[in-house]
Amino acid sequence: MSSTREQLIKLLSHHANTFVSGQWLSDQLSISRTAVWKQIKQLEEDGYRFESVPNKGYRLTYIPDKVSKNTVYWGLKTKSIGKKIEHYDQIESTQTLAIKRAQEGCDEGLVIIAEKQIAGRGRRARHWDSNHDKGVWLSLVLRPDIMPIQSPQLTLLTATVLLDVIEEITQLKPEVKWPNDILINGKKVAGILTQAQAEHDQVHYAVIGIGLNVNQEKSELTDPIKHSATSLQIETSKSYSKQLVIQTILNRFEEVYFNYLKDGFKSIKTKWLKSAYRLGERLEYSINGEVKSGVFIDLSDDGCLIIENDDRQQEKLYTAKIHWF
Ligand code: BTN
């Protein structure tokens, strides 16, 4: 059950184009008119702004640009993604908590957001630099009706969402480096970590972790990512509302995800390939210690990279190490 404050903000934000009277609010919330007034004053202290007109009541005119579960929630047009949000100022890792929630049986669409992660992690148990509030660090829980072999498609799907969102927000054209890195001008701006639990022919849950560097200045990037990473701020010399970035990601995610469940992977693959880093170029890769080379020609339906090797044979790369440079 949400608090009186949350219910009040919800009522006011749903009537943001009209005035609502103190009496109506007090009836809805079953509190006195004085209590309504006190709550409004507290909200003003937290940065909310209201127009208040005698005999008409209150109208919410401004929601502060501070990430909270409420401020994110109100900008969502989604049916399930983000219908439940947990927001933390500081947490070990949104991914770890989202996996716990998934195992406890939470509904699809739960989103865990943190301002800072003390133990943010990337693929292959790498550290993810997120012990500061300059980026978007979130994990979302899905329960897709897909075969376990299809779960890598979710990473590629998420990559297409981030490509769209970054382009919409910055007008830049990012690229995707297989399988999960989003690049701007060759530097990593975002990463995706997909962890799924499945058995036989059923995916129980998939947790999608998204880390997007938003407002870091160049001087704030430290070793070892100093030269290989970037942020939206560095690339455009502008800072961004994290709240808006999160809303844009979740709104777009739901649209693309529902389409994928309905129509399959084809359109995701097409979109992904359009922005694929080094598609059509020669790459070196190692399989079982053997270094080979070939041309990156396609993506398979199970999310693998397809290489045409020097013997003109096609090879599907799952976790092979690719030497991108
Ligand atoms: C990678 O590029 O290796 C994936 C990085 C994923 C980072 C995100 S930040 C939110 C979520 N919580 C984590 O601990 N990791 C993911």
Side-chain angles (χ1 to χ4, degrees), residues 59-108:
R59 189 172 73 84
L60 181 60
T61 55
Y62 178 76
I63 297 173
D65 181 27
K66 188 173 169 293
V67 179
S68 75
K69 65 178 185 179
N70 289 331
T71 54
V72 170
Y73 184 77
W74 294 317
L76 294 184
K77 302 180 203 120
T78 55
K79 288 201 175 75
S80 77
I81 304 297
K83 281 294 139 183
K84 184 144 195 286
I85 295 175
E86 291 184 30
H87 172 261
Y88 298 89
D89 284 333
Q90 184 169 299
I91 196 177
E92 292 252 318
S93 154
T94 58
Q95 195 75 3
T96 309
L97 184 60
I99 289 174
K100 182 166 179 277
R101 294 284 186 262
Q103 286 166 347
E104 288 164 356
C106 74
D107 286 339
E108 168 161 277

Side-chain angles (χ1 to χ4, degrees), residues 93-95 117 120-123 128 138 180 188 191-192 210:
S93 154
T94 58
Q95 195 75 3
Q117 296 186 115
R121 52 198 175 79
R123 279 177 74 237
W128 179 259
L138 66 82
N180 71 331
K188 181 160 172 172
I192 302 155
I210 296 175

Side-chain angles (χ1 to χ4, degrees), residues 83 292 310 324:
K83 281 294 139 183
K292 299 176 148 199
D310 291 343
W324 289 100

Side-chain angles (χ1 to χ4, degrees), residues 236-251:
T236 60
S237 306
K238 283 188 204 153
S239 67
Y240 295 86
S241 152
K242 288 205 307 174
Q243 179 190 310
L244 196 73
V245 173
I246 293 171
Q247 287 161 343
T248 314
I249 292 175
L250 299 181
N251 284 331

Side-chain angles (χ1 to χ4, degrees), residues 209-264:
I210 296 175
L212 170 61
N213 295 334
V214 180
N215 288 327
Q216 291 100 319
E217 304 274 355
K218 203 165 181 33
S219 60
E220 290 170 310
L221 297 179
T222 49
D223 282 329
I225 58 164
K226 197 170 171 179
H227 302 293
S228 58
T230 191
S231 72
L232 302 184
Q233 153 85 44
I234 293 170
E235 296 300 322
T236 60
S237 306
K238 283 188 204 153
S239 67
Y240 295 86
S241 152
K242 288 205 307 174
Q243 179 190 310
L244 196 73
V245 173
I246 293 171
Q247 287 161 343
T248 314
I249 292 175
L250 299 181
N251 284 331
R252 181 81 188 131
F253 191 96
E254 181 167 291
E255 206 182 313
V256 176
Y257 176 61
F258 283 180
N259 279 342
Y260 161 76
L261 293 180
K262 191 159 59 73
D263 300 333

